[in-house]
Amino acid sequence: MNKELLKKLALSFGPSGYEKETADIIIEELNRLSIPVTRDSCGGVIGKIGSGEEKILLVATMDEASFMVTDIDGDGFLRMEALTAIDPRTVAGKRMTVGGDMEKVDAVSAIKVLHLRSGGERDEMGVDKVFLNMGAKNKEEAEKLTKKGEFVTFHGNFREMANDYIVCKALDGRSGCALLLEEAEKLVSEVSEDRTYILVFAVKGLAGLSSAPFTAFREKPLRAVLLDSCGADDLPDPEKEKDKQIHVSLGKGALLPMYDNQVLYYDSPEYQVLVASAEAAGIPYQQAKGCAQMSALHLTCGGVPMVSVALPCRNPRTEGVIIHKNDYESALELLHLAAIL
């Protein structure tokens, strides 16, 4: 596990539609490995390993939970809207970063305190009810720091906790980028004459507008491997029975989704071979429903067979995404198996 690479990626500023800082890190790593790099029209990063006719697409996403500044009021507070699916209850009282075309600025999110809200307001909790405080006294001061249309993300703080847990913002997406870069280093030393591996670091994935299908349409791959994350459901729940079913846990291996919101994986020959290979190699894995939304890629050019490797995490799309080292190492091994099938 390359923790320094993971940390650098997780802390980078890469909201949906403005992934430049993250892309620059990825391009630097690909250049270090002497992998040819191109950019698609949306800003996605594409790397190619090999020159064989059999094309395999390996896909990760670069963006993170993010927002856009939609207004600046007379008191210098910012208002915003979410660009990705986010639970608004996780937004208030957080350190945030505002940036884009202008220089990055620290901010803190706030909402009206509970005892000052009317009855109707108490039941309403949306991102549009959140104020961003940059310390500006008025609108004029605020507009010197930012403007409408700038981006907002959670502020990063990468920490290693006891028992191999790691916490930071953006780990639910950037872990896939780190895994793909580590796999690229393996593939460079194992180049097959019959294959071309196409590494896709897509933009706008968490916003549901991934650029990956454009690459699939152009390259017409034989199959694709999707790197994703999934929320773990292993927290104690006193409201449920003691023998409740746990679908995904941290520390028990990466997830091989049987299906997700838009794609069925379990009926593909590649999925069955991947599961059998993982069993034979003794690699820990879990099976359950995934969270990806990749029907556009799956249905491109008459259909692209897909498998997915997903990293379990707690608190997805928040400032405190938690992953486990064991799951990361499992995902790395499963990704390699999926790539060389």
Side-chain angles (χ1 to χ4, degrees):
M1 181 182 198
N2 189 336
K3 290 182 184 177
E4 286 306 309
L5 175 61
L6 179 61
K7 179 179 180 179
K8 187 188 296 187
L9 287 165
L11 292 176
S12 65
F13 183 76
S16 299
Y18 198 88
E19 296 91 342
K20 181 182 182 303
E21 191 173 310
T22 307
D24 287 345
I25 295 170
I26 290 168
I27 291 170
E28 182 182 349
E29 286 296 310
L30 293 175
N31 287 338
R32 182 182 65 82
L33 297 170
S34 299
I35 296 173
V37 179
T38 58
R39 305 292 297 272
D40 62 33
S41 59
C42 292
V45 178
I46 316 296
K48 285 190 178 183
I49 301 173
S51 56
E53 293 185 6
E54 187 178 289
K55 296 180 179 180
I56 312 298
L57 211 65
L58 307 177
V59 182
T61 189
M62 293 191 291
D63 60 331
E64 62 183 292
S66 49
F67 314 82
M68 179 173 281
V69 176
T70 55
D71 193 27
I72 303 174
D73 69 21
D75 294 318
F77 292 107
L78 309 183
R79 307 302 289 271
M80 63 184 184
E81 290 287 351
L83 297 176
T84 58
I86 293 174
D87 185 343
R89 293 171 297 181
T90 67
V91 179
K94 308 298 182 184
R95 290 186 64 191
M96 314 289 278
T97 300
V98 183
D101 294 335
M102 300 179 71
E103 191 171 325
K104 286 186 284 188
V105 181
D106 287 340
V108 177
S109 58
I111 57 172
K112 188 188 293 187
V113 293
L114 185 63
H115 71 276
L116 293 180
R117 292 185 231 164
S118 63
E121 287 180 313
R122 296 190 179 198
D123 297 327
E124 298 177 4
M125 181 55 209
V127 173
D128 61 326
K129 302 294 189 297
V130 175
F131 295 82
L132 277 186
N133 182 359
M134 300 185 297
K137 294 180 180 179
N138 51 46
K139 185 173 184 176
E140 289 71 26
E141 279 195 10
E143 287 179 334
K144 293 177 182 178
L145 299 173
T146 192
K147 62 181 180 180
K148 289 184 182 181
E150 290 291 86
F151 298 93
V152 183
T153 67
F154 292 108
H155 184 79
N157 186 7
F158 189 95
R159 304 183 301 283
E160 295 183 50
M161 302 192 297
N163 299 309
D164 291 327
Y165 289 100
I166 298 172
V167 60
C168 189
K169 61 98 173 173
L171 285 175
D172 41 346
R174 303 285 163 68
S175 294
C177 296
L179 286 164
L180 188 46
L181 287 169
E182 290 200 52
E183 174 62 14
E185 192 157 9
K186 290 183 183 179
L187 294 175
V188 165
S189 62
E190 303 174 8
V191 178
S192 168
E193 294 182 359
D194 302 323
R195 285 188 173 178
T196 298
Y197 288 103
I198 304 170
L199 318 177
V200 181
F201 299 87
V203 297
K204 305 177 187 176
L206 295 186
L209 300 168
S210 174
S211 61
F214 307 150
T215 304
F217 184 82
R218 183 179 64 250
E219 299 290 347
K220 297 178 175 56
L222 181 68
R223 56 186 176 84
V225 181
L226 174 64
L227 283 160
D228 194 29
S229 62
C230 59
D233 60 351
D234 56 352
L235 293 176
D237 188 348
E239 299 297 323
K240 294 186 177 181
E241 298 178 6
K242 292 181 179 179
D243 62 347
K244 71 163 186 164
Q245 183 179 3
I246 301 295
H247 297 286
V248 182
S249 301
L250 256 67
K252 294 186 177 180
L255 176 69
L256 295 179
M258 297 180 286
Y259 62 99
D260 57 36
N261 296 324
Q262 298 178 335
V263 181
L264 302 178
Y265 302 107
Y266 59 79
D267 62 345
S268 70
E270 290 82 4
Y271 182 81
Q272 302 304 331
V273 173
L274 179 56
V275 169
S277 299
E279 291 278 358
I283 302 170
Y285 69 93
Q286 304 179 66
Q287 288 179 293
K289 178 183 177 182
C291 305
Q293 299 184 31
M294 273 291 177
S295 63
L297 173 58
H298 184 50
L299 301 176
T300 296
C301 294
V304 178
M306 291 173 58
V307 294
S308 177
V309 177
L311 188 70
C313 64
R314 294 193 186 122
N315 310 323
R317 305 193 187 195
T318 69
E319 67 165 354
V321 184
I322 302 173
I323 64 171
H324 196 279
K325 181 181 177 182
N326 290 352
D327 299 330
Y328 186 97
E329 297 290 355
S330 165
L332 192 56
E333 292 183 87
L334 291 170
L335 170 59
H336 189 61
L337 285 181
I340 64 175
L341 283 179

